[in-house]
């Protein structure tokens, strides 16, 4: 009898295609078996990667979990649906890999996390960067005093998205849709990993670790939500400042940087690459492996291995989401602060790349760095 864990994937298009490919990889290794796909419109045969057979399909998630006998589910659906789908799985005893951000508000996050705990099922939140072996390695370096006393952590993400990105789904670029929170902004969705990873490196991942949050939310695109923003999270262990944009001049690899009294550690989290710079030593660079989060969930179920990204370890990130949700709607950048690149059909904010890097480097916000278009910061306490 096969020991592969039967899995249902909810949301198999868009980013869900990555999960389909990942499930195919794990299925070829005998780790999981794709038992079902939940989509409002069934996948055509050509949308199912070779090697996955013909999984059962249905638009009814609960019914699909029942009929397939799924033991685990991957939920990669629009942000506002996460909590209800997670709780549907939990009520049926089905364990979860829930895509980030786990919820669009702190109340919805608590409803999900508390419901999952009460049901006794395992839940992994899909911050893939937190599966990197670089994260514990950096935490060890910090604990050993490699860079002296930690002064804070910065994060920088300078990405580009064409205007079509905001038309990819009805909820794209929205703060709310039909009266329901979405909060699809640069810090809460595409560059959410920068925020969550920076908090993880400082060791301030739980909601109670956050004592204050300052936000500066802006947009160059004609959207509701923010595309050029920064946030500073106050914790008992120091500040975490993350700056991000989807309007970069020259898109680059996002990174987080630990600032110490006698050095710094830079982590390019999509590449699992770490650079250690410290007084009295030459620079040291290392690349690390990473543990896939679905594989880790299966290991947890079969061998009792510790889950890498439990809901409670995303509480501080969710406090940031909540501060962004409660903030004033993002301010439109003045017309002279951005321009359209016609060939790429995307908007660019001149000078933003260096501003994002400076924020990560100095732990300062855009307004403190003298950006002419930056508004005074909004301050939120817990």
């Amino acid at each position: 009898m096969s020991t592969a864990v039967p899995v249902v994937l909810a949301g198999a298009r868009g980013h869900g295609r990555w999960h389909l490919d990942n499930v195919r990889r794990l299925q070829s290794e005998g780790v999981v078996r794709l038992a079902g796909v939940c989509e409002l419109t069934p996948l055509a045969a050509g949308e199912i990667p070779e090697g996955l057979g013909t999984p059962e399909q249905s638009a009814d998630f609960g019914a699909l979990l029942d009929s397939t006998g799924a033991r685990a589910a991957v939920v990669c659906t629009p942000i506002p649906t996460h909590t209800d789908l997670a709780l549907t799985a939990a009520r049926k005893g089905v364990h979860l890999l829930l895509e980030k951000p786990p919820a669009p508000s702190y109340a919805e996050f608590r409803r999900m996390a508390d419901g999952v705990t009460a049901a006794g099922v395992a839940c992994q939140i899909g911050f893939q960067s937190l599966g990197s072996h670089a994260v514990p390695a950096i935490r060890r370096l910090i604990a050993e005093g490699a860079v002296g006393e930690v002064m804070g952590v910065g994060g920088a993400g300078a990405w580009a998205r064409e205007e079509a990105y905001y038309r990819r789904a009805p909820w794209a670029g929205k703060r709310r849709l039909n009266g329901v929170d979405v909060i699809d902004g640069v810090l809460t969705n595409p560059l959410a990993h920068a925020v969550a990873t920076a908090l993880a490196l400082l060791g301030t991942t739980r909601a109670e670790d956050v004592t204050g949050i300052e936000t500066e939310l802006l947009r160059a695109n004609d959207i509701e939500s923010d595309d050029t923003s920064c946030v500073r999270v106050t914790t008992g262990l120091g500040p975490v400042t993350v700056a991000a944009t989807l309007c970069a001049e020259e898109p680059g690899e996002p990174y987080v940087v630990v600032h110490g009294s006698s050095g710094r550690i830079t982590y390019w989290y999509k590449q699992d690459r770490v650079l250690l710079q410290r007084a009295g030593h030459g620079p040291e660079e290392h690349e690390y492996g990473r543990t896939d989060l679905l594989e880790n969930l299966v290991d947890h179920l079969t061998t009792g291995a510790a889950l890498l990204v439990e809901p409670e370890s995303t509480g501080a990130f969710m406090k940031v989401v909540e501060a962004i949700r409660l903030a004033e709607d993002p301010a439109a950048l003045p017309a002279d602060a951005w321009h359209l690149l016609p060939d790429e059909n995307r908007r660019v904010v001149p000078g933003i790349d260096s501003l994002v890097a400076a924020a990560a480097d100095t732990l300062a916000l855009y307004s403190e760095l003298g950006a002419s278009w930056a508004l005074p910061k909004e301050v939120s306490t817990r």
Side-chain angles (χ1 to χ4, degrees):
M1 182 176 155
S2 169
T3 57
V5 171
V7 170
V8 162
L9 171 60
R13 295 189 173 98
H15 183 56
R17 286 194 295 267
W18 182 91
H19 285 288
L20 268 179
D21 286 336
N22 193 44
V23 168
R24 177 177 62 172
R25 178 182 67 83
L26 293 175
Q27 183 161 314
S28 72
E29 296 171 9
V31 176
V32 302
R33 173 178 60 82
L34 183 63
V37 171
C38 181
E39 268 289 353
L40 297 180
T41 306
L43 297 183
E47 291 182 281
I48 300 174
E50 197 175 328
L52 286 175
T54 53
E56 189 177 332
Q57 299 200 59
S58 171
D60 186 329
F61 185 53
L64 190 61
L65 295 177
D66 287 339
S67 62
T68 58
R71 194 169 174 208
V74 178
V75 174
C76 185
T77 55
I79 303 164
T81 66
H82 284 185
T83 292
D84 284 341
L85 291 178
L87 294 178
T88 295
R91 281 192 294 271
K92 295 177 179 296
V94 176
H95 307 281
L96 280 157
L97 171 58
L98 180 63
E99 257 303 340
K100 59 80 191 160
S105 70
Y106 194 76
E108 283 289 274
F109 168 70
R110 279 268 50 99
R111 187 163 74 89
M112 179 277 295
D114 293 344
V116 162
T117 299
V121 301
C123 180
Q124 179 103 281
I125 307 299
F127 283 109
Q128 292 291 341
S129 61
L130 300 183
S132 176
H133 306 162
V135 173
I138 294 169
R139 298 277 300 134
R140 281 194 298 274
L141 285 171
I142 291 170
E144 291 162 4
V147 291
E149 183 187 349
V150 172
M151 320 302 285
V153 179
W159 275 5
R161 291 292 183 268
E162 60 184 29
E163 293 194 342
Y165 174 79
Y166 300 106
R167 295 190 291 274
R168 73 191 189 281
W171 54 270
K174 293 282 197 299
R175 280 172 71 73
R176 289 169 196 87
L177 184 64
N178 302 324
V180 176
D181 288 319
V182 176
I183 320 300
D184 179 36
V186 62
L187 291 167
T188 53
N189 195 8
L191 283 152
H193 280 93
V195 179
T197 307
L199 290 163
L201 294 189
L202 190 59
T204 52
T205 59
R206 303 173 74 84
E208 55 268 29
D209 295 329
V210 176
T211 55
I213 299 171
E214 302 158 84
T215 60
E216 293 183 359
L217 310 177
L218 303 117
R219 57 181 178 83
N221 284 277
D222 185 17
I223 56 174
E224 267 183 25
S225 206
D226 56 302
D227 59 36
T228 299
S229 298
C230 57
V231 63
R232 183 163 54 211
V233 184
T234 307
T235 80
L237 296 178
V240 171
T241 300
V242 180
T245 185
L246 298 178
C247 306
E249 297 166 293
E250 299 289 339
E253 281 292 333
Y255 61 89
V256 293
V257 55
V258 178
H259 296 283
S261 57
S262 60
R264 61 195 288 164
I265 305 167
T266 307
Y267 171 35
W268 291 270
Y269 60 79
K270 287 179 69 68
Q271 301 175 318
D272 301 310
R273 184 162 62 93
V274 175
L275 175 64
L276 170 62
Q277 297 165 290
R278 49 181 169 166
H281 294 75
E284 300 170 44
E285 191 167 321
H286 300 279
E287 286 192 23
Y288 292 86
R290 68 165 59 186
T291 299
D292 177 73
L293 296 183
L294 179 55
E295 201 164 356
N296 173 242
L297 175 64
V298 171
D299 281 347
H300 174 75
L301 301 181
T302 55
T303 71
L307 276 183
L308 288 169
V309 197
E310 292 183 299
E312 294 307 328
S313 70
T314 66
F317 168 79
M318 281 307 307
K319 284 290 188 180
V320 173
V321 173
E322 183 73 354
I324 290 171
R325 183 182 81 87
L326 295 175
E328 292 288 323
D329 284 347
L333 286 168
D336 62 359
W338 62 270
H339 61 261
L340 183 71
L341 285 185
D343 292 351
E344 299 178 38
N345 195 30
R346 68 179 184 90
R347 299 186 184 191
V348 172
V349 177
I352 192 61
D353 299 23
S354 57
L355 203 59
V356 163
D361 203 40
T362 62
L363 306 179
L365 302 174
Y366 294 151
S367 61
E368 297 164 344
L369 292 167
S372 59
W373 38 256
L375 302 171
K377 58 185 175 288
E378 286 205 30
V379 180
S380 153
T381 57
R382 303 187 347 184

